[in-house]
mmCIF file of all heavy atoms in Angstrom:
data_model
loop_
_atom_site.group_PDB
_atom_site.id
_atom_site.type_symbol
_atom_site.label_atom_id
_atom_site.label_comp_id
_atom_site.label_asym_id
_atom_site.label_seq_id
_atom_site.Cartn_x
_atom_site.Cartn_y
_atom_site.Cartn_z
ATOM 1 N N ARG R 1 0.862 -1.179 -0.005
ATOM 2 C CA ARG R 1 -0.003 -0.001 -0.002
ATOM 3 C C ARG R 1 0.896 1.223 -0.006
ATOM 4 O O ARG R 1 1.596 1.509 0.973
ATOM 5 C CB ARG R 1 -0.922 0.008 1.210
ATOM 6 C CG ARG R 1 -1.825 1.234 1.260
ATOM 7 C CD ARG R 1 -3.202 0.918 1.780
ATOM 8 N NE ARG R 1 -3.911 0.015 0.878
ATOM 9 C CZ ARG R 1 -5.122 -0.499 1.137
ATOM 10 N NH1 ARG R 1 -5.739 -0.210 2.271
ATOM 11 N NH2 ARG R 1 -5.723 -1.295 0.265
ATOM 12 N N ILE R 2 0.907 1.956 -1.092
ATOM 13 C CA ILE R 2 1.826 3.082 -1.230
ATOM 14 C C ILE R 2 1.133 4.434 -1.058
ATOM 15 O O ILE R 2 1.813 5.458 -0.962
ATOM 16 C CB ILE R 2 2.557 3.047 -2.589
ATOM 17 C CG1 ILE R 2 1.579 3.101 -3.757
ATOM 18 C CG2 ILE R 2 3.417 1.809 -2.683
ATOM 19 C CD1 ILE R 2 2.248 3.172 -5.116
ATOM 20 N N MET R 3 -0.179 4.432 -0.991
ATOM 21 C CA MET R 3 -0.862 5.708 -0.793
ATOM 22 C C MET R 3 -2.285 5.436 -0.311
ATOM 23 O O MET R 3 -2.970 4.548 -0.831
ATOM 24 C CB MET R 3 -0.881 6.498 -2.098
ATOM 25 C CG MET R 3 -1.441 7.916 -1.996
ATOM 26 S SD MET R 3 -3.153 7.968 -2.507
ATOM 27 C CE MET R 3 -3.598 9.597 -1.943
ATOM 28 N N ASP R 4 -2.725 6.167 0.702
ATOM 29 C CA ASP R 4 -4.088 6.085 1.212
ATOM 30 C C ASP R 4 -4.452 7.479 1.730
ATOM 31 O O ASP R 4 -3.914 7.930 2.750
ATOM 32 C CB ASP R 4 -4.193 5.051 2.336
ATOM 33 C CG ASP R 4 -5.630 4.798 2.762
ATOM 34 O OD1 ASP R 4 -6.490 5.670 2.540
ATOM 35 O OD2 ASP R 4 -5.910 3.737 3.346
ATOM 36 N N SER R 5 -5.332 8.160 1.020
ATOM 37 C CA SER R 5 -5.633 9.546 1.352
ATOM 38 C C SER R 5 -6.340 9.680 2.700
ATOM 39 O O SER R 5 -6.411 10.772 3.258
ATOM 40 C CB SER R 5 -6.493 10.189 0.251
ATOM 41 O OG SER R 5 -7.758 9.561 0.175
ATOM 42 N N ARG R 6 -6.835 8.571 3.241
ATOM 43 C CA ARG R 6 -7.562 8.628 4.519
ATOM 44 C C ARG R 6 -6.647 8.649 5.728
ATOM 45 O O ARG R 6 -7.094 8.860 6.846
ATOM 46 C CB ARG R 6 -8.504 7.421 4.614
ATOM 47 C CG ARG R 6 -9.519 7.346 3.494
ATOM 48 C CD ARG R 6 -10.190 5.986 3.475
ATOM 49 N NE ARG R 6 -9.230 4.916 3.289
ATOM 50 C CZ ARG R 6 -9.537 3.620 3.320
ATOM 51 N NH1 ARG R 6 -10.782 3.250 3.520
ATOM 52 N NH2 ARG R 6 -8.612 2.700 3.137
ATOM 53 N N THR R 7 -5.352 8.392 5.525
ATOM 54 C CA THR R 7 -4.408 8.340 6.626
ATOM 55 C C THR R 7 -3.260 9.310 6.399
ATOM 56 O O THR R 7 -2.925 9.655 5.257
ATOM 57 C CB THR R 7 -3.826 6.923 6.780
ATOM 58 O OG1 THR R 7 -3.050 6.603 5.625
ATOM 59 C CG2 THR R 7 -4.943 5.897 6.941
ATOM 60 N N ASP R 8 -2.636 9.733 7.496
ATOM 61 C CA ASP R 8 -1.454 10.565 7.380
ATOM 62 C C ASP R 8 -0.315 9.770 6.746
ATOM 63 O O ASP R 8 -0.160 8.571 7.006
ATOM 64 C CB ASP R 8 -0.988 11.052 8.764
ATOM 65 C CG ASP R 8 -1.927 12.083 9.370
ATOM 66 O OD1 ASP R 8 -2.772 12.614 8.632
ATOM 67 O OD2 ASP R 8 -1.803 12.331 10.583
ATOM 68 N N SER R 9 0.463 10.416 5.912
ATOM 69 C CA SER R 9 1.680 9.840 5.383
ATOM 70 C C SER R 9 2.776 10.891 5.499
ATOM 71 O O SER R 9 2.511 12.031 5.887
ATOM 72 C CB SER R 9 1.497 9.377 3.926
ATOM 73 O OG SER R 9 1.054 10.438 3.117
ATOM 74 N N TRP R 10 3.985 10.512 5.211
ATOM 75 C CA TRP R 10 5.118 11.425 5.390
ATOM 76 C C TRP R 10 4.908 12.717 4.613
ATOM 77 O O TRP R 10 4.860 12.729 3.384
ATOM 78 C CB TRP R 10 6.407 10.768 4.933
ATOM 79 C CG TRP R 10 6.741 9.555 5.751
ATOM 80 C CD1 TRP R 10 6.404 9.318 7.044
ATOM 81 C CD2 TRP R 10 7.476 8.415 5.302
ATOM 82 N NE1 TRP R 10 6.879 8.095 7.448
ATOM 83 C CE2 TRP R 10 7.542 7.519 6.405
ATOM 84 C CE3 TRP R 10 8.086 8.056 4.101
ATOM 85 C CZ2 TRP R 10 8.198 6.300 6.329
ATOM 86 C CZ3 TRP R 10 8.737 6.843 4.034
ATOM 87 C CH2 TRP R 10 8.792 5.982 5.127
ATOM 88 N N GLY R 11 4.730 13.813 5.328
ATOM 89 C CA GLY R 11 4.621 15.109 4.684
ATOM 90 C C GLY R 11 3.233 15.445 4.185
ATOM 91 O O GLY R 11 3.027 16.520 3.639
ATOM 92 N N ARG R 12 2.282 14.541 4.348
ATOM 93 C CA ARG R 12 0.926 14.809 3.859
ATOM 94 C C ARG R 12 -0.083 14.390 4.911
ATOM 95 O O ARG R 12 -0.090 13.238 5.337
ATOM 96 C CB ARG R 12 0.651 14.044 2.565
ATOM 97 C CG ARG R 12 -0.719 14.366 1.984
ATOM 98 C CD ARG R 12 -1.018 13.495 0.761
ATOM 99 N NE ARG R 12 -2.228 13.917 0.093
ATOM 100 C CZ ARG R 12 -3.454 13.577 0.433
ATOM 101 N NH1 ARG R 12 -3.653 12.774 1.464
ATOM 102 N NH2 ARG R 12 -4.498 14.025 -0.239
ATOM 103 N N LYS R 13 -0.941 15.305 5.306
ATOM 104 C CA LYS R 13 -1.998 15.002 6.246
ATOM 105 C C LYS R 13 -3.135 14.267 5.539
ATOM 106 O O LYS R 13 -3.364 14.450 4.338
ATOM 107 C CB LYS R 13 -2.531 16.294 6.883
ATOM 108 C CG LYS R 13 -1.556 16.979 7.826
ATOM 109 C CD LYS R 13 -1.282 16.124 9.050
ATOM 110 C CE LYS R 13 -0.394 16.853 10.039
ATOM 111 N NZ LYS R 13 -0.125 16.012 11.238
ATOM 112 N N ALA R 14 -3.825 13.428 6.289
ATOM 113 C CA ALA R 14 -4.960 12.719 5.739
ATOM 114 C C ALA R 14 -5.980 13.717 5.193
ATOM 115 O O ALA R 14 -6.250 14.754 5.792
ATOM 116 C CB ALA R 14 -5.603 11.838 6.795
ATOM 117 N N GLY R 15 -6.540 13.406 4.049
ATOM 118 C CA GLY R 15 -7.547 14.277 3.443
ATOM 119 C C GLY R 15 -7.874 13.822 2.051
ATOM 120 O O GLY R 15 -7.048 13.210 1.374
ATOM 121 N N PRO R 16 -9.083 14.062 1.584
ATOM 122 C CA PRO R 16 -9.498 13.587 0.264
ATOM 123 C C PRO R 16 -8.779 14.296 -0.865
ATOM 124 O O PRO R 16 -8.169 15.365 -0.683
ATOM 125 C CB PRO R 16 -10.996 13.898 0.257
ATOM 126 C CG PRO R 16 -11.149 15.055 1.181
ATOM 127 C CD PRO R 16 -10.133 14.833 2.263
ATOM 128 N N LEU R 17 -8.859 13.688 -2.029
ATOM 129 C CA LEU R 17 -8.336 14.297 -3.248
ATOM 130 C C LEU R 17 -9.414 15.226 -3.803
ATOM 131 O O LEU R 17 -10.488 14.778 -4.164
ATOM 132 C CB LEU R 17 -7.980 13.218 -4.260
ATOM 133 C CG LEU R 17 -7.437 13.665 -5.619
ATOM 134 C CD1 LEU R 17 -6.157 14.461 -5.455
ATOM 135 C CD2 LEU R 17 -7.206 12.449 -6.519
ATOM 136 N N PRO R 18 -9.142 16.520 -3.859
ATOM 137 C CA PRO R 18 -10.177 17.470 -4.269
ATOM 138 C C PRO R 18 -10.665 17.231 -5.699
ATOM 139 O O PRO R 18 -9.957 16.665 -6.532
ATOM 140 C CB PRO R 18 -9.475 18.824 -4.163
ATOM 141 C CG PRO R 18 -8.385 18.607 -3.173
ATOM 142 C CD PRO R 18 -7.901 17.201 -3.416
ATOM 143 N N ALA R 19 -11.877 17.669 -5.938
ATOM 144 C CA ALA R 19 -12.473 17.555 -7.262
ATOM 145 C C ALA R 19 -11.651 18.295 -8.304
ATOM 146 O O ALA R 19 -11.052 19.336 -8.028
ATOM 147 C CB ALA R 19 -13.901 18.097 -7.235
ATOM 148 N N ARG R 20 -11.599 17.694 -9.500
ATOM 149 C CA ARG R 20 -10.956 18.331 -10.674
ATOM 150 C C ARG R 20 -9.507 18.664 -10.410
ATOM 151 O O ARG R 20 -8.955 19.645 -10.931
ATOM 152 C CB ARG R 20 -11.710 19.589 -11.094
ATOM 153 C CG ARG R 20 -13.218 19.386 -11.298
ATOM 154 C CD ARG R 20 -13.522 18.391 -12.394
ATOM 155 N NE ARG R 20 -13.102 18.880 -13.701
ATOM 156 C CZ ARG R 20 -13.076 18.154 -14.797
ATOM 157 N NH1 ARG R 20 -13.425 16.861 -14.748
ATOM 158 N NH2 ARG R 20 -12.685 18.649 -15.946
ATOM 159 N N SER R 21 -8.826 17.829 -9.609
ATOM 160 C CA SER R 21 -7.410 18.063 -9.322
ATOM 161 C C SER R 21 -6.635 16.767 -9.504
ATOM 162 O O SER R 21 -7.212 15.714 -9.759
ATOM 163 C CB SER R 21 -7.229 18.565 -7.881
ATOM 164 O OG SER R 21 -7.490 17.527 -6.949
ATOM 165 N N TYR R 22 -5.326 16.874 -9.380
ATOM 166 C CA TYR R 22 -4.499 15.671 -9.484
ATOM 167 C C TYR R 22 -3.497 15.620 -8.351
ATOM 168 O O TYR R 22 -3.174 16.625 -7.729
ATOM 169 C CB TYR R 22 -3.789 15.595 -10.846
ATOM 170 C CG TYR R 22 -2.583 16.488 -11.009
ATOM 171 C CD1 TYR R 22 -1.303 16.017 -10.727
ATOM 172 C CD2 TYR R 22 -2.713 17.793 -11.474
ATOM 173 C CE1 TYR R 22 -0.198 16.825 -10.902
ATOM 174 C CE2 TYR R 22 -1.610 18.606 -11.636
ATOM 175 C CZ TYR R 22 -0.351 18.124 -11.352
ATOM 176 O OH TYR R 22 0.738 18.927 -11.507
ATOM 177 N N LEU R 23 -3.031 14.407 -8.095
ATOM 178 C CA LEU R 23 -2.003 14.174 -7.093
ATOM 179 C C LEU R 23 -0.805 13.569 -7.793
ATOM 180 O O LEU R 23 -0.923 12.566 -8.513
ATOM 181 C CB LEU R 23 -2.542 13.221 -6.018
ATOM 182 C CG LEU R 23 -1.629 12.875 -4.841
ATOM 183 C CD1 LEU R 23 -2.475 12.617 -3.602
ATOM 184 C CD2 LEU R 23 -0.781 11.647 -5.124
ATOM 185 N N ALA R 24 0.375 14.179 -7.608
ATOM 186 C CA ALA R 24 1.609 13.679 -8.208
ATOM 187 C C ALA R 24 2.274 12.707 -7.238
ATOM 188 O O ALA R 24 2.648 13.091 -6.138
ATOM 189 C CB ALA R 24 2.547 14.835 -8.551
ATOM 190 N N LEU R 25 2.405 11.470 -7.645
ATOM 191 C CA LEU R 25 2.937 10.415 -6.791
ATOM 192 C C LEU R 25 4.304 9.979 -7.331
ATOM 193 O O LEU R 25 4.415 9.432 -8.423
ATOM 194 C CB LEU R 25 1.982 9.227 -6.775
ATOM 195 C CG LEU R 25 2.369 8.036 -5.907
ATOM 196 C CD1 LEU R 25 2.422 8.430 -4.440
ATOM 197 C CD2 LEU R 25 1.367 6.896 -6.117
ATOM 198 N N ARG R 26 5.352 10.259 -6.543
ATOM 199 C CA ARG R 26 6.711 9.879 -6.957
ATOM 200 C C ARG R 26 6.968 8.434 -6.611
ATOM 201 O O ARG R 26 6.859 8.026 -5.452
ATOM 202 C CB ARG R 26 7.748 10.765 -6.256
ATOM 203 C CG ARG R 26 9.155 10.567 -6.780
ATOM 204 C CD ARG R 26 10.139 11.487 -6.101
ATOM 205 N NE ARG R 26 10.464 11.042 -4.754
ATOM 206 C CZ ARG R 26 11.455 11.567 -4.015
ATOM 207 N NH1 ARG R 26 12.163 12.558 -4.510
ATOM 208 N NH2 ARG R 26 11.692 11.102 -2.811
ATOM 209 N N LEU R 27 7.343 7.625 -7.607
ATOM 210 C CA LEU R 27 7.509 6.191 -7.405
ATOM 211 C C LEU R 27 8.955 5.747 -7.431
ATOM 212 O O LEU R 27 9.254 4.609 -7.032
ATOM 213 C CB LEU R 27 6.720 5.432 -8.481
ATOM 214 C CG LEU R 27 5.195 5.605 -8.401
ATOM 215 C CD1 LEU R 27 4.509 4.943 -9.583
ATOM 216 C CD2 LEU R 27 4.660 5.047 -7.105
ATOM 217 N N GLU R 28 9.873 6.558 -7.904
ATOM 218 C CA GLU R 28 11.298 6.260 -7.819
ATOM 219 C C GLU R 28 11.952 7.440 -7.094
ATOM 220 O O GLU R 28 11.397 8.391 -6.889
ATOM 221 C CB GLU R 28 11.915 6.048 -9.200
ATOM 222 C CG GLU R 28 11.328 4.839 -9.924
ATOM 223 C CD GLU R 28 12.094 4.513 -11.194
ATOM 224 O OE1 GLU R 28 13.304 4.242 -11.120
ATOM 225 O OE2 GLU R 28 11.454 4.547 -12.263
ATOM 226 N N GLY R 29 13.202 7.386 -6.771
ATOM 227 C CA GLY R 29 13.855 8.494 -6.088
ATOM 228 C C GLY R 29 13.817 9.763 -6.939
ATOM 229 O O GLY R 29 13.072 9.865 -7.910
ATOM 230 N N ASP R 30 14.590 10.733 -6.554
ATOM 231 C CA ASP R 30 14.667 11.980 -7.325
ATOM 232 C C ASP R 30 15.543 11.715 -8.535
ATOM 233 O O ASP R 30 16.736 12.023 -8.560
ATOM 234 C CB ASP R 30 15.257 13.097 -6.452
ATOM 235 C CG ASP R 30 15.161 14.446 -7.121
ATOM 236 O OD1 ASP R 30 14.606 14.522 -8.246
ATOM 237 O OD2 ASP R 30 15.644 15.431 -6.539
ATOM 238 N N THR R 31 14.957 11.107 -9.559
ATOM 239 C CA THR R 31 15.721 10.604 -10.686
ATOM 240 C C THR R 31 15.398 11.371 -11.967
ATOM 241 O O THR R 31 14.304 11.908 -12.128
ATOM 242 C CB THR R 31 15.421 9.100 -10.914
ATOM 243 O OG1 THR R 31 16.190 8.612 -12.011
ATOM 244 C CG2 THR R 31 13.935 8.887 -11.214
ATOM 245 N N THR R 32 16.362 11.388 -12.862
ATOM 246 C CA THR R 32 16.149 11.886 -14.217
ATOM 247 C C THR R 32 16.283 10.737 -15.219
ATOM 248 O O THR R 32 16.191 10.953 -16.417
ATOM 249 C CB THR R 32 17.158 12.998 -14.567
ATOM 250 O OG1 THR R 32 18.485 12.471 -14.417
ATOM 251 C CG2 THR R 32 16.971 14.192 -13.661
ATOM 252 N N SER R 33 16.511 9.534 -14.706
ATOM 253 C CA SER R 33 16.648 8.352 -15.552
ATOM 254 C C SER R 33 15.967 7.167 -14.862
ATOM 255 O O SER R 33 16.631 6.374 -14.187
ATOM 256 C CB SER R 33 18.125 8.035 -15.827
ATOM 257 O OG SER R 33 18.267 6.908 -16.659
ATOM 258 N N PRO R 34 14.670 7.053 -14.992
ATOM 259 C CA PRO R 34 13.930 6.007 -14.262
ATOM 260 C C PRO R 34 14.409 4.597 -14.621
ATOM 261 O O PRO R 34 14.772 4.317 -15.774
ATOM 262 C CB PRO R 34 12.485 6.225 -14.706
ATOM 263 C CG PRO R 34 12.421 7.646 -15.156
ATOM 264 C CD PRO R 34 13.770 7.926 -15.759
ATOM 265 N N ASP R 35 14.397 3.723 -13.623
ATOM 266 C CA ASP R 35 14.758 2.321 -13.824
ATOM 267 C C ASP R 35 13.551 1.477 -14.217
ATOM 268 O O ASP R 35 13.719 0.346 -14.665
ATOM 269 C CB ASP R 35 15.357 1.730 -12.530
ATOM 270 C CG ASP R 35 16.713 2.337 -12.203
ATOM 271 O OD1 ASP R 35 17.456 2.644 -13.150
ATOM 272 O OD2 ASP R 35 17.016 2.485 -11.014
ATOM 273 N N VAL R 36 12.362 1.989 -14.030
ATOM 274 C CA VAL R 36 11.131 1.227 -14.238
ATOM 275 C C VAL R 36 10.458 1.692 -15.518
ATOM 276 O O VAL R 36 10.262 2.879 -15.749
ATOM 277 C CB VAL R 36 10.186 1.378 -13.038
ATOM 278 C CG1 VAL R 36 8.843 0.733 -13.313
ATOM 279 C CG2 VAL R 36 10.820 0.774 -11.776
ATOM 280 N N ASP R 37 10.070 0.709 -16.347
ATOM 281 C CA ASP R 37 9.388 1.027 -17.608
ATOM 282 C C ASP R 37 7.886 1.250 -17.415
ATOM 283 O O ASP R 37 7.290 2.061 -18.114
ATOM 284 C CB ASP R 37 9.582 -0.113 -18.612
ATOM 285 C CG ASP R 37 11.044 -0.391 -18.900
ATOM 286 O OD1 ASP R 37 11.833 0.575 -18.952
ATOM 287 O OD2 ASP R 37 11.410 -1.571 -19.055
#
């Protein structure tokens, strides 16, 4: 489980995803050359 808006996570308080918006989810480190296709 990598994300659950109902619970607190590092740097983000629990709360819903607002209407007509997006959430950017980083899945690899701070990379400019991803290892995952």
